[in-house]
Amino acid sequence: MTRCNHEKDCTDPFRVNSGDVLTKAELQHLRSLREKKHREAAGLFIVEGEKVVGELLNAGFTFNAIYATPEWTGDKTHEITREDMSRASHFPTPSSVLAVGRINHQPLPDTGLARGLTLALDRVQDPGNVGTLLRIADWFALDRVVLSPDCADLFSQKVINASRGSFARVTVHLTDLPSALSTVPPAVMVLGCDLVGEDVHTISPAKDAVIVIGSEGRGMSAAVKQRISQFITIPRYGNAESLNAGVAAAIVCDNLRRA
């Protein structure tokens, strides 16, 4: 069984049949997708590795093309040789499968961030943190994640790996964060995680709220801070300087989800 959007997507621009050798142009195209500018230009991204491809397939993600060597027993659209996989691979040690997906930028809903629980990331640049935050949003069944344009690229291999399949289950929007927050009604809490603020444990559970996580080193931008209705902090009982962004987000989400 193969999972492709439609026949044309499976064969264009990656036109190869089982046992054929990838052309130089096809190899260059696959390898170029490691860079964000080429991903955006082509509207495609690539992931490589048995674990990550399997996680996304199990989560129901539809790939445009799946290139695999004979060792890969899962879904595939093109079987290629180990030699070609080694040439196309983004890794020093090639895996048995790499897959190509289409980049899909989803617009915000008509209600903006006014309904449901939103995790908003402002300038979070570590790909591992962005992927972990997607997992947290998935764990707590948040309605959406919003990334500012200067966050780590959602479609990078490192972000997708760190999400452990949540990339395929969480609704993610890329948008200007101050503008999106400016439309949130006053009745909806916009919570900014900071070292100074109200104790997170005093927050009442909520069905509608926005949780804002800032940059690992610089915190929230000045424009985003202006849109925060309540700064919150996690009480510190020891001597650690700070918490990982994912840990902080999980604690806030847990408090909002209390019965």
Side-chain angles (χ1 to χ4, degrees):
M1 173 182 176
T2 60
R3 301 186 187 188
C4 299
N5 290 337
H6 47 73
E7 184 179 355
K8 184 177 186 296
D9 279 345
C10 290
T11 59
D12 185 16
F14 308 100
R15 295 166 50 188
V16 58
N17 297 317
S18 177
D20 281 353
V21 176
L22 291 173
T23 67
K24 182 178 180 180
E26 289 162 342
L27 283 167
Q28 287 178 338
H29 196 101
L30 286 171
R31 291 178 65 84
S32 74
L33 296 178
R34 70 177 66 188
E35 297 183 29
K36 181 178 180 180
K37 64 180 180 180
H38 294 303
R39 291 195 292 268
E40 290 290 343
L44 299 169
F45 69 94
I46 194 166
V47 290
E48 179 180 352
E50 294 86 354
K51 183 174 176 60
V52 64
V53 173
E55 286 170 342
L56 294 182
L57 287 173
N58 289 336
F61 188 82
T62 300
F63 285 108
N64 286 55
I66 302 174
Y67 295 82
T69 65
E71 289 80 10
W72 172 254
T73 58
D75 294 351
K76 68 181 73 172
T77 58
H78 306 300
E79 185 171 300
I80 61 176
T81 65
R82 299 179 191 89
E83 291 75 16
D84 268 352
M85 181 63 77
S86 179
R87 294 163 66 199
S89 175
H90 295 198
F91 298 148
T93 302
S95 70
S96 64
V97 61
L98 62 82
V100 180
R102 188 164 299 282
I103 290 176
N104 180 23
H105 291 300
Q106 300 190 56
L108 287 172
D110 293 339
T111 55
L113 309 183
R115 295 287 182 269
L117 293 176
T118 299
L119 182 60
L121 311 186
D122 182 30
R123 308 188 297 178
V124 178
Q125 296 177 339
D126 183 273
N129 281 344
V130 173
T132 297
L133 288 159
L134 294 183
R135 291 170 64 192
I136 290 165
D138 192 10
W139 181 271
F140 288 99
L142 303 191
D143 294 273
R144 66 194 65 86
V145 174
V146 175
L147 305 182
S148 68
D150 42 6
C151 283
D153 181 20
L154 174 65
F155 298 96
S156 73
Q157 174 94 35
K158 289 182 179 179
V159 168
I160 298 171
N161 279 359
S163 79
R164 296 294 190 269
S166 295
F167 170 88
R169 291 186 291 266
V170 175
T171 300
V172 184
H173 307 278
L174 179 67
T175 191
D176 180 76
L177 199 49
S179 296
L181 293 175
S182 70
T183 65
V184 177
V188 177
M189 294 186 296
V190 179
L191 304 172
C193 297
D194 201 18
L195 291 175
V196 178
E198 296 184 46
D199 187 334
V200 66
H201 301 113
T202 65
I203 299 173
S204 300
K207 294 183 179 180
D208 304 316
V210 181
I211 307 154
V212 182
I213 303 291
S215 163
E216 298 88 350
R218 297 174 293 166
M220 286 171 277
S221 63
V224 167
K225 280 187 173 181
Q226 292 178 359
R227 302 298 180 182
I228 302 298
S229 62
Q230 184 176 353
F231 288 95
I232 56 173
T233 192
I234 299 165
R236 178 172 57 182
Y237 301 99
N239 298 312
E241 181 181 351
S242 62
L243 287 176
N244 174 275
V247 173
I251 291 172
V252 177
C253 290
D254 184 65
N255 277 271
L256 289 175
R257 283 297 195 192
R258 290 197 317 269

